[in-house]
Amino acid sequence: MTASAPQIEPPFLGEPYLLTPGPLTTSYEVKQSMLRDWGSWDDDFRAMTCDMRSRLLALLGEGAGAFDCVPMQGSGSFAVEAMLASFIPRDGKALVLANGAYGLRSAQTLQYLGRAYQLLDKGDYLPPRGDEVAQILANDLSITHVVAIHCETSSGILNPVEEISEAVYAAGRKLLIDSMSAFGAIELKPSQIRYEAMVSSANKCIEGVPGFGFVIARKEELEAAKGNSHSLSLDVHAQWAHMEKTGQWRFTPPTHVVAAFLEALKAHEAEGGVAGRGGRYTRNRDVMVAGMRELGFETLLQNRWLSPIIVTFFCPADANFVFGRFYELMKEKGFIIYPGKLTVVDSFRVGCIGQMDEHVMRQVVAAAKETLAEMGVASAAPPAAALEERAKLAA
Ligand SMILES: *Cc1c(COP(=O)(O)O)cnc(C)c1O
């Protein structure tokens, strides 16, 4: 651990660790920063909003000057909806790249919005690739925007957004990215990858508490977005214009959540920014995956596509393994894991993000080992059919 790395403390008052992709385990300082009430119109709170927006923009690195940051009340999905509605014109058409629940949710959002879209659905296991995107765009010239998921949190797959971006801009279209569960831990530098807008939220890799999301978009797109949105409260242009003019949010802001988020952003900086945060999560994943594999568990994904955010494991084939019981026994030991979200095989997920380090991950593996013994599960190996399915699709 470097001198500047924060000391990771156990959760407050013996609460369990949340091995989930947000809400997640936050630091004591983040929780403590909420013990004060703020007036939303007051200069102090306006300064906090301003500081937060510039800190978020700074995470983009070189080229950040072309962008601005617009926070949006609500959970992450509200910010995704706001982005899609505000940047895809009513006569536009989107190509949605899906390989899990969040990609499908973007498609469903467009359905609600009444925007035309085409869906590329790769199922649970496989990433959308640049060449397929190029092919689809060549075949349908009416597509104006491509919507990609950075880390598809339902499987934990890290999608190849660089090659997707290259294909999109080679075809003269525009890219919108749902980087909800990746931003702050995985670089998304406009100097390396082109995009018009991206979205994330307070309770993922920056390690704040839930309550708002934020859209980071090119200023020219923000200007051009006027009048696109179907929704008053989710209009990114209107929120941006109002914030630029008054320094305030249009409607009641989640003041305590903003205070907590600012504290979380300071800790993020102290940890070494995106590289430092991503490094800790990567160690968390490596230690946890190695330990779980030693117990016989197998990951859904091959190493190449494993994100440092969350990892999906197949449920063991052993008839004594029942997920509900595994969950309860893990919780008793202080770890809240996450059910799977796959359509075909039984699975569960273990998150690597939040206030935890590799020492905690070793305890997670030890708890899993003990739990298997308590359940009388001799081997954590997955059913042969699950592995065959994976091999078949990857071929
Ligand atoms: C968490 C997440 C969302 C938003 O989910 P909410 O429950 O609305 O906060 C959207 N996309 C991805 C990829 C996510 O991980």
Side-chain angles (χ1 to χ4, degrees):
M1 194 177 275
T2 62
S4 65
Q7 194 68 42
I8 305 280
E9 286 169 10
F12 193 42
L13 293 177
E15 65 195 33
Y17 283 98
L18 299 180
L19 301 163
T20 58
L24 37 65
T25 298
T26 57
S27 71
Y28 184 80
E29 289 73 23
V30 163
K31 294 176 180 71
Q32 196 179 36
S33 65
M34 291 185 282
L35 293 173
R36 187 190 150 170
D37 303 314
W38 304 87
S40 60
W41 41 264
D42 184 70
D43 283 345
D44 291 346
F45 184 72
R46 277 189 250 197
M48 285 159 65
T49 296
C50 180
D51 188 16
M52 171 183 86
R53 291 172 68 201
S54 29
R55 282 174 178 273
L56 283 170
L57 279 175
L59 298 185
L60 299 190
E62 200 190 318
F67 290 76
D68 210 343
C69 172
V70 187
M72 267 288 163
Q73 295 94 330
S75 86
S77 300
F78 292 61
V80 172
E81 183 162 340
M83 171 176 79
L84 298 178
S86 300
F87 297 123
I88 302 173
R90 293 182 194 206
D91 59 356
K93 180 175 179 180
L95 167 62
V96 179
L97 308 177
N99 51 348
Y102 292 102
L104 295 176
R105 187 179 297 174
S106 267
Q108 190 187 16
T109 304
L110 290 167
Q111 181 83 46
Y112 265 75
L113 296 179
R115 296 289 194 283
Y117 69 91
Q118 182 177 336
L119 177 66
L120 172 66
D121 186 357
K122 302 284 298 189
D124 290 333
Y125 303 64
L126 296 175
R129 301 306 300 260
D131 50 2
E132 339 175 55
V133 173
Q135 192 67 56
I136 295 169
L137 294 180
N139 289 342
D140 186 345
L141 299 176
S142 68
I143 294 171
T144 53
H145 291 73
V146 175
V147 180
I149 313 295
H150 195 177
C151 171
E152 174 49 79
T153 323
S154 49
S155 65
I157 193 167
L158 192 56
N159 283 320
V161 283
E162 288 84 355
E163 69 179 43
I164 290 168
S165 170
E166 276 165 28
V168 169
Y169 287 95
R173 319 301 167 85
K174 292 177 170 180
L175 180 62
L176 306 175
I177 302 177
D178 171 355
S179 186
M180 201 71 63
S181 63
F183 187 73
I186 299 169
E187 299 285 8
L188 196 55
K189 290 184 169 166
S191 59
Q192 287 165 5
I193 162 174
R194 172 132 198 223
Y195 54 90
E196 303 307 311
M198 56 131 288
V199 59
S200 184
S201 74
N203 59 282
K204 301 233 169 165
C205 298
I206 309 287
E207 300 185 356
V209 302
F212 69 91
F214 49 90
V215 176
I216 293 182
R218 287 182 188 276
K219 288 176 189 162
E220 60 205 48
E221 289 295 315
L222 284 166
E223 265 152 28
K226 188 172 184 176
N228 282 349
S229 182
H230 64 298
S231 159
L232 172 70
S233 54
L234 295 178
D235 186 337
V236 176
H237 172 86
Q239 179 93 324
W240 177 63
H242 185 82
M243 218 168 247
E244 286 294 283
K245 203 165 136 199
T246 66
Q248 292 176 19
W249 302 49
R250 274 179 311 161
F251 312 125
T252 303
T255 47
H256 301 76
V257 180
V258 172
F261 192 64
L262 252 188
E263 194 63 36
L265 276 167
K266 287 172 191 166
H268 183 269
E269 185 182 12
E271 192 174 357
V274 179
R277 183 61 50 93
R280 172 161 60 85
Y281 290 172
T282 301
R283 288 191 296 282
N284 284 353
R285 177 200 63 196
D286 290 346
V287 164
M288 189 266 294
V289 168
M292 293 293 275
R293 282 182 177 154
E294 243 168 67
L295 301 181
F297 285 104
E298 257 311 320
T299 59
L300 166 76
L301 302 171
Q302 289 156 335
N303 285 348
R304 151 164 205 216
W305 301 111
L306 284 181
S307 70
I309 308 300
I310 189 165
V311 179
T312 298
F313 293 96
F314 292 119
C315 285
D318 193 309
N320 285 341
F321 186 91
V322 178
F323 176 75
R325 181 142 166 76
F326 185 69
Y327 179 94
E328 285 305 327
L329 291 169
M330 287 295 285
K331 183 176 170 185
E332 270 173 25
K333 296 173 183 63
F335 303 106
I336 292 200
I337 59 170
Y338 213 47
K341 218 175 192 176
L342 304 181
T343 45
V344 184
V345 294
D346 286 335
S347 62
F348 66 93
R349 292 176 288 172
V350 181
C352 309
I353 67 180
Q355 278 289 295
M356 332 176 276
D357 61 13
E358 61 206 272
H359 305 293
V360 175
M361 293 323 242
R362 278 193 197 96
Q363 294 169 32
V364 173
V365 174
K369 183 175 182 182
E370 210 182 306
T371 300
L372 290 178
E374 284 166 346
M375 294 173 73
V377 175
S379 159
L387 291 177
E388 276 160 27
E389 169 94 347
R390 182 181 74 173
K392 197 170 67 199
L393 278 159

mmCIF file of all heavy atoms in Angstrom, residues 21 75-78 80 102 105 149 151-153 178 180-181 201 203-204, ligand 1:
data_model
loop_
_atom_site.group_PDB
_atom_site.id
_atom_site.type_symbol
_atom_site.label_atom_id
_atom_site.label_comp_id
_atom_site.label_asym_id
_atom_site.label_seq_id
_atom_site.Cartn_x
_atom_site.Cartn_y
_atom_site.Cartn_z
ATOM 1 N N PRO A 21 -22.878 -4.153 -6.808
ATOM 2 C CA PRO A 21 -22.394 -3.050 -7.662
ATOM 3 C C PRO A 21 -23.084 -1.724 -7.370
ATOM 4 O O PRO A 21 -23.373 -0.969 -8.284
ATOM 5 C CB PRO A 21 -22.711 -3.553 -9.062
ATOM 6 C CG PRO A 21 -23.919 -4.390 -8.893
ATOM 7 C CD PRO A 21 -23.856 -4.975 -7.515
ATOM 8 N N SER A 75 -32.016 7.760 -9.624
ATOM 9 C CA SER A 75 -31.014 6.695 -9.719
ATOM 10 C C SER A 75 -30.367 6.742 -11.097
ATOM 11 O O SER A 75 -30.720 7.569 -11.950
ATOM 12 C CB SER A 75 -31.657 5.331 -9.461
ATOM 13 O OG SER A 75 -32.192 4.799 -10.656
ATOM 14 N N GLY A 76 -29.428 5.857 -11.326
ATOM 15 C CA GLY A 76 -28.697 5.853 -12.595
ATOM 16 C C GLY A 76 -29.590 5.755 -13.818
ATOM 17 O O GLY A 76 -29.336 6.410 -14.844
ATOM 18 N N SER A 77 -30.641 4.952 -13.730
ATOM 19 C CA SER A 77 -31.522 4.766 -14.895
ATOM 20 C C SER A 77 -32.189 6.076 -15.313
ATOM 21 O O SER A 77 -32.474 6.277 -16.493
ATOM 22 C CB SER A 77 -32.603 3.726 -14.584
ATOM 23 O OG SER A 77 -31.996 2.498 -14.259
ATOM 24 N N PHE A 78 -32.433 6.956 -14.342
ATOM 25 C CA PHE A 78 -33.026 8.259 -14.668
ATOM 26 C C PHE A 78 -32.045 9.053 -15.546
ATOM 27 O O PHE A 78 -32.441 9.734 -16.495
ATOM 28 C CB PHE A 78 -33.329 9.065 -13.402
ATOM 29 C CG PHE A 78 -34.434 8.507 -12.540
ATOM 30 C CD1 PHE A 78 -34.344 7.250 -11.981
ATOM 31 C CD2 PHE A 78 -35.573 9.263 -12.279
ATOM 32 C CE1 PHE A 78 -35.358 6.737 -11.174
ATOM 33 C CE2 PHE A 78 -36.595 8.764 -11.486
ATOM 34 C CZ PHE A 78 -36.489 7.502 -10.932
ATOM 35 N N VAL A 80 -29.666 7.764 -17.449
ATOM 36 C CA VAL A 80 -29.597 7.122 -18.771
ATOM 37 C C VAL A 80 -30.758 7.619 -19.624
ATOM 38 O O VAL A 80 -30.585 8.024 -20.780
ATOM 39 C CB VAL A 80 -29.644 5.578 -18.658
ATOM 40 C CG1 VAL A 80 -29.759 4.946 -20.044
ATOM 41 C CG2 VAL A 80 -28.418 5.039 -17.932
ATOM 42 N N TYR A 102 -28.696 -4.328 -18.671
ATOM 43 C CA TYR A 102 -28.641 -2.865 -18.789
ATOM 44 C C TYR A 102 -28.742 -2.401 -20.234
ATOM 45 O O TYR A 102 -29.337 -1.359 -20.524
ATOM 46 C CB TYR A 102 -27.417 -2.309 -18.071
ATOM 47 C CG TYR A 102 -27.569 -2.494 -16.574
ATOM 48 C CD1 TYR A 102 -26.899 -3.509 -15.896
ATOM 49 C CD2 TYR A 102 -28.442 -1.692 -15.865
ATOM 50 C CE1 TYR A 102 -27.086 -3.700 -14.537
ATOM 51 C CE2 TYR A 102 -28.629 -1.873 -14.503
ATOM 52 C CZ TYR A 102 -27.948 -2.885 -13.844
ATOM 53 O OH TYR A 102 -28.144 -3.072 -12.504
ATOM 54 N N ARG A 105 -32.281 -2.625 -20.973
ATOM 55 C CA ARG A 105 -33.020 -1.530 -20.342
ATOM 56 C C ARG A 105 -32.936 -0.252 -21.187
ATOM 57 O O ARG A 105 -33.904 0.497 -21.290
ATOM 58 C CB ARG A 105 -32.507 -1.266 -18.922
ATOM 59 C CG ARG A 105 -33.368 -0.251 -18.165
ATOM 60 C CD ARG A 105 -32.873 0.001 -16.760
ATOM 61 N NE ARG A 105 -32.929 -1.200 -15.936
ATOM 62 C CZ ARG A 105 -32.442 -1.287 -14.698
ATOM 63 N NH1 ARG A 105 -31.886 -0.229 -14.136
ATOM 64 N NH2 ARG A 105 -32.513 -2.408 -14.025
ATOM 65 N N ILE A 149 -22.840 -0.101 -23.593
ATOM 66 C CA ILE A 149 -22.689 -0.248 -22.145
ATOM 67 C C ILE A 149 -21.205 -0.522 -21.884
ATOM 68 O O ILE A 149 -20.636 -1.446 -22.470
ATOM 69 C CB ILE A 149 -23.536 -1.433 -21.612
ATOM 70 C CG1 ILE A 149 -24.966 -1.404 -22.165
ATOM 71 C CG2 ILE A 149 -23.511 -1.453 -20.087
ATOM 72 C CD1 ILE A 149 -25.807 -0.233 -21.750
ATOM 73 N N CYS A 151 -19.288 -1.254 -18.807
ATOM 74 C CA CYS A 151 -19.239 -2.546 -18.106
ATOM 75 C C CYS A 151 -20.686 -2.999 -17.960
ATOM 76 O O CYS A 151 -21.482 -2.320 -17.310
ATOM 77 C CB CYS A 151 -18.584 -2.401 -16.738
ATOM 78 S SG CYS A 151 -18.737 -3.889 -15.715
ATOM 79 N N GLU A 152 -21.037 -4.114 -18.583
ATOM 80 C CA GLU A 152 -22.404 -4.648 -18.457
ATOM 81 C C GLU A 152 -22.472 -5.373 -17.113
ATOM 82 O O GLU A 152 -21.985 -6.498 -16.955
ATOM 83 C CB GLU A 152 -22.738 -5.550 -19.642
ATOM 84 C CG GLU A 152 -24.061 -6.286 -19.582
ATOM 85 C CD GLU A 152 -25.286 -5.430 -19.221
ATOM 86 O OE1 GLU A 152 -25.839 -4.715 -20.070
ATOM 87 O OE2 GLU A 152 -25.701 -5.519 -18.047
ATOM 88 N N THR A 153 -23.059 -4.703 -16.143
ATOM 89 C CA THR A 153 -22.997 -5.134 -14.752
ATOM 90 C C THR A 153 -23.744 -6.443 -14.498
ATOM 91 O O THR A 153 -23.512 -7.109 -13.492
ATOM 92 C CB THR A 153 -23.563 -4.011 -13.847
ATOM 93 O OG1 THR A 153 -23.171 -2.745 -14.403
ATOM 94 C CG2 THR A 153 -23.036 -4.094 -12.448
ATOM 95 N N ASP A 178 -23.202 4.231 -21.587
ATOM 96 C CA ASP A 178 -23.613 3.991 -20.204
ATOM 97 C C ASP A 178 -22.387 3.440 -19.478
ATOM 98 O O ASP A 178 -22.063 2.270 -19.587
ATOM 99 C CB ASP A 178 -24.784 2.997 -20.176
ATOM 100 C CG ASP A 178 -25.129 2.537 -18.756
ATOM 101 O OD1 ASP A 178 -24.414 2.905 -17.809
ATOM 102 O OD2 ASP A 178 -26.111 1.787 -18.608
ATOM 103 N N MET A 180 -22.049 3.597 -16.246
ATOM 104 C CA MET A 180 -22.522 3.648 -14.860
ATOM 105 C C MET A 180 -21.577 2.960 -13.885
ATOM 106 O O MET A 180 -21.157 3.540 -12.897
ATOM 107 C CB MET A 180 -23.895 2.975 -14.789
ATOM 108 C CG MET A 180 -24.711 3.360 -13.601
ATOM 109 S SD MET A 180 -25.297 5.046 -13.712
ATOM 110 C CE MET A 180 -26.349 4.976 -15.147
ATOM 111 N N SER A 181 -21.278 1.683 -14.166
ATOM 112 C CA SER A 181 -20.530 0.900 -13.182
ATOM 113 C C SER A 181 -19.028 0.907 -13.454
ATOM 114 O O SER A 181 -18.286 0.202 -12.782
ATOM 115 C CB SER A 181 -21.051 -0.538 -13.158
ATOM 116 O OG SER A 181 -20.833 -1.150 -14.414
ATOM 117 N N SER A 201 -23.275 7.301 -12.040
ATOM 118 C CA SER A 201 -24.064 7.741 -10.886
ATOM 119 C C SER A 201 -23.235 7.783 -9.613
ATOM 120 O O SER A 201 -22.093 7.323 -9.576
ATOM 121 C CB SER A 201 -25.292 6.839 -10.698
ATOM 122 O OG SER A 201 -24.912 5.601 -10.173
ATOM 123 N N ASN A 203 -23.409 6.290 -6.742
ATOM 124 C CA ASN A 203 -23.182 5.150 -5.844
ATOM 125 C C ASN A 203 -22.437 3.992 -6.480
ATOM 126 O O ASN A 203 -22.596 2.853 -6.080
ATOM 127 C CB ASN A 203 -24.531 4.654 -5.295
ATOM 128 C CG ASN A 203 -25.463 4.225 -6.403
ATOM 129 O OD1 ASN A 203 -26.076 5.067 -7.060
ATOM 130 N ND2 ASN A 203 -25.570 2.938 -6.643
ATOM 131 N N LYS A 204 -21.604 4.264 -7.471
ATOM 132 C CA LYS A 204 -20.811 3.169 -8.049
ATOM 133 C C LYS A 204 -19.329 3.414 -7.741
ATOM 134 O O LYS A 204 -18.996 3.552 -6.575
ATOM 135 C CB LYS A 204 -21.167 3.008 -9.514
ATOM 136 C CG LYS A 204 -22.686 2.713 -9.666
ATOM 137 C CD LYS A 204 -23.054 1.496 -10.456
ATOM 138 C CE LYS A 204 -24.533 1.201 -10.290
ATOM 139 N NZ LYS A 204 -25.075 0.265 -11.249
HETATM 140 C C1 LIG B 1 -26.269 0.450 -11.935
HETATM 141 C C2 LIG B 1 -26.398 0.554 -13.399
HETATM 142 C C3 LIG B 1 -27.416 1.323 -14.003
HETATM 143 C C4 LIG B 1 -28.447 2.120 -13.234
HETATM 144 O O1 LIG B 1 -29.131 1.418 -12.314
HETATM 145 P P1 LIG B 1 -30.008 2.151 -11.191
HETATM 146 O O2 LIG B 1 -30.532 0.997 -10.418
HETATM 147 O O3 LIG B 1 -31.067 2.910 -11.890
HETATM 148 O O4 LIG B 1 -29.091 3.037 -10.428
HETATM 149 C C5 LIG B 1 -27.408 1.448 -15.381
HETATM 150 N N1 LIG B 1 -26.481 0.824 -16.137
HETATM 151 C C6 LIG B 1 -25.499 0.077 -15.600
HETATM 152 C C7 LIG B 1 -24.496 -0.549 -16.494
HETATM 153 C C8 LIG B 1 -25.433 -0.088 -14.213
HETATM 154 O O5 LIG B 1 -24.451 -0.829 -13.668
#
